[in-house]
Amino acid sequence: MRIFVALLALAVMGIGGWQLLPSQGDKNRTITVGTTDAVTSLDPAGAYDAGSWALFSNVFQTLLTFEPGGVRPVPDAAKSCTFEGGGLRTYRCSLRDDITFPSGRRLTAADVKFSFDRVKKIDSDVGPASLFSTLGSVTADSARTVTFHLSSPDATFPLKVATGAGSIVDKEAYPAASLRTGTGVDGTGPYTLTSYTKDQRAVLAPYGRYQGYLGGTGRPVELRYYADSQKLQSAWRHKQLDVATRTLPPQVLSELNPSDPTQRVTESDSSETRNLYLNTRGDSPLHDVRVRRALAWLVNREQLAAEVYDGTVDPLYSLIPTGIIGHTTSFFDSYPTQSTAKARELLTQAGVTLPVRFTFGYGKGRGAGAEEAAELKRQLEKGGLFQVNVQGYEWTDFQKRWAAGKMDAWAVGWVADYPDPDTFGSPLIGTGSTMSTGYSSKTVDALIRNSQRYADRSRASNDFRGIQGDVAADVPLIPLWQRKEYVVSTEDVGGGQYLSDGTGVFRLWRLQWI
């Protein structure tokens, strides 16, 4: 939702000024931030997407969080957390004693247990329950101590605790077995949500009672949500925003001028990826692995990156992106060039009627989704082997459709939940994954579980290489590209480089008037 992020400040005017304190007159002036990311739900049990988690990381607290660019979590709502007893199966946290909810009630271990229990109990079809597949149970040992009992060793569990899935809610303000409705939020993060209009805006005010990792809260912020990249660009062009991120149109990003004195531009490496997911269920025309391999022989990533994205993304040839432990080029090794002949040979072996007809969905307004879908349709229909029925859907409807297996193929971007290659494993291709392709492999599941045994994550590299080889052979998805991250702000706003740094935390509190 970008792991080892190398920030490159392309517009560096006034770099020293980024650290100047804002004047007293600017203290309460709101900073407006525009994005095309959508919020699925205000309830942490009901959302597993970048837009929702960006908001969660500002209005809720987690036991642990990440420092900018960090790879190991640090305490936030917790004073300390540690594995106990050996075996990476018992994880205990001691809580801070000075955290209060907006109601004035003190946060306790019972709230933490409640928050994790309800994520698993509700098990929303678009929620993050799958992230806690190794969590067996939670106990509140005292008012200030909570223990997580894992069903199998999981060195990555602390990383998962630090994500939006680990958001702590007030047990007296949220139902235990259903999602909370309405536009209210009861969290203890650095901001309170003072106003929310779905698909339009979220108004955030600093939370005066915040206690945690941060030294203090930031400036008032208004998040504005736009239906597509062109609308975001229009708002930026007409000076209706102070910051624009995720995502301006590719042609605009490719033409950003680092010498323009009216704006600051941050370009950074990112581990955000986009894959074409394939429905492997028996009722889909893509059920036969030979049909999916035929599709893999037809995708031209270089053309997609150049013509649709104007070089603002890089072609991706594996499940795990470049710069991440265990990355390989498994799809390039298996399908090195586009080949209609090899695709036809596989379809002939499968005995299917040509052209193979299937549906392909994408989320409307998500970057260049429509243009990308059109280009992929053109590539996949080459040689008359496939006939692709493309359809765009509103974001929430799109999520529900892929979760229910109502499409044969769908393209979705994936922002790393936490700085570890495991975030590209079980959530995407493990049995019961959030991408709901119907894919299940005992070998892949075993490799995922084995990779979680290593506290030294470099020791898991062989497991991840094995996972990527199996994915290239089974093709439950086809990697498309890896994004570069861009944040644009006016010349008088600093801190934009901290908004997206690969840890999954969206640091609105780092934005400052300068």
Side-chain angles (χ1 to χ4, degrees), residues 381-401:
E381 289 185 342
K382 187 176 180 180
L385 303 181
F386 291 95
Q387 184 173 319
V388 187
N389 178 19
V390 174
Q391 180 66 52
Y393 301 95
E394 180 273 329
W395 176 244
T396 301
D397 183 28
F398 179 49
Q399 284 184 293
K400 291 179 178 179
R401 284 179 176 273

Side-chain angles (χ1 to χ4, degrees), residues 118-461:
R118 72 187 295 269
V119 167
K120 296 203 70 172
K121 185 172 185 177
I122 293 172
D123 193 17
S124 169
D125 56 357
V126 293
S130 62
L131 201 58
F132 296 138
S133 60
T134 62
L135 177 58
S137 63
V138 189
T139 56
D141 306 317
S142 68
R144 316 253 47 89
T145 305
V146 62
T147 303
F148 301 92
H149 307 276
L150 308 185
S151 57
S152 61
D154 187 0
T156 69
F157 187 73
L159 307 174
K160 298 167 184 174
V161 167
T163 70
S167 298
I168 303 169
V169 302
D170 185 341
K171 66 183 179 66
E172 296 184 0
Y174 287 77
S178 62
L179 296 177
R180 176 172 166 173
T181 57
T183 59
V185 164
D186 286 274
T188 59
Y191 285 98
T192 57
L193 182 65
T194 62
S195 175
Y196 177 77
T197 305
K198 183 174 174 56
D199 297 330
Q200 294 184 36
R201 69 190 64 221
V203 181
L204 305 174
Y207 182 41
R209 296 178 180 172
Y210 169 79
Q211 297 291 331
Y213 166 75
L214 301 179
T217 58
R219 299 289 163 260
V221 172
E222 181 176 316
L223 279 168
R224 296 182 183 176
Y225 300 100
Y226 294 90
D228 56 54
S229 296
Q230 297 297 334
K231 288 184 173 62
L232 175 62
Q233 166 61 9
S234 176
W236 173 254
R237 187 176 65 250
H238 289 95
K239 302 185 185 306
Q240 297 168 0
L241 299 171
D242 301 306
V243 181
T245 182
R246 295 186 52 80
T247 306
L248 291 166
Q251 64 272 23
V252 174
L253 295 176
S254 66
E255 295 174 357
L256 287 174
N257 183 1
S259 62
D260 186 341
T262 67
Q263 63 186 23
R264 297 174 183 271
V265 181
T266 296
E267 176 189 337
S268 63
D269 293 335
S270 167
S271 61
E272 179 183 350
T273 64
R274 190 169 177 89
N275 300 315
L276 178 63
Y277 295 90
L278 307 178
N279 191 338
T280 68
R281 298 174 181 85
D283 59 353
S284 170
L286 308 184
H287 170 69
D288 192 310
V289 67
R290 292 168 293 190
V291 176
R292 302 197 299 273
R293 289 173 183 167
L295 288 173
W297 277 110
L298 297 175
V299 173
N300 188 327
R301 298 162 179 80
E302 292 83 357
Q303 196 164 30
L304 193 67
E307 297 189 4
V308 175
Y309 290 97
D310 289 316
T312 61
V313 302
D314 296 318
L316 181 63
Y317 291 93
S318 196
L319 175 70
I320 298 174
T322 58
I324 309 303
I325 292 173
H327 165 74
T328 68
T329 55
S330 56
F331 272 78
F332 182 82
D333 299 338
S334 298
Y335 315 97
T337 60
Q338 291 69 53
S339 175
T340 303
K342 290 184 181 296
R344 183 180 296 275
E345 180 181 351
L346 284 164
L347 295 176
T348 300
Q349 292 173 9
V352 295
T353 302
L354 301 181
V356 177
R357 294 176 170 83
F358 68 92
T359 60
F360 175 12
Y362 66 93
K364 288 183 177 178
R366 316 298 289 180
E371 296 84 353
E372 175 187 77
E375 173 59 22
L376 285 171
K377 173 181 170 69
R378 187 193 66 77
Q379 293 180 13
L380 298 177
E381 289 185 342
K382 187 176 180 180
L385 303 181
F386 291 95
Q387 184 173 319
V388 187
N389 178 19
V390 174
Q391 180 66 52
Y393 301 95
E394 180 273 329
W395 176 244
T396 301
D397 183 28
F398 179 49
Q399 284 184 293
K400 291 179 178 179
R401 284 179 176 273
W402 91 54
K406 292 184 177 180
M407 298 175 291
D408 299 314
W410 54 99
V412 181
W414 182 254
V415 179
D417 297 330
Y418 45 89
D420 190 276
D422 181 72
T423 190
F424 299 95
S426 52
L428 301 187
I429 42 84
T431 298
S433 73
T434 190
M435 286 306 166
S436 194
T437 61
Y439 176 67
S440 179
S441 165
K442 291 181 179 179
T443 301
V444 168
D445 288 345
L447 287 168
I448 290 172
R449 288 193 299 272
N450 195 62
S451 73
Q452 294 169 340
R453 294 172 53 242
Y454 299 111
D456 178 356
R457 302 305 291 150
S458 64
R459 296 181 61 191
S461 295

Side-chain angles (χ1 to χ4, degrees), residues 84-105:
E84 295 192 350
L88 299 176
R89 297 184 65 154
T90 302
Y91 193 65
R92 183 164 292 135
C93 293
S94 174
L95 306 186
R96 295 176 62 103
D97 57 10
D98 54 358
I99 299 175
T100 57
F101 289 106
S103 66
R105 190 177 67 81

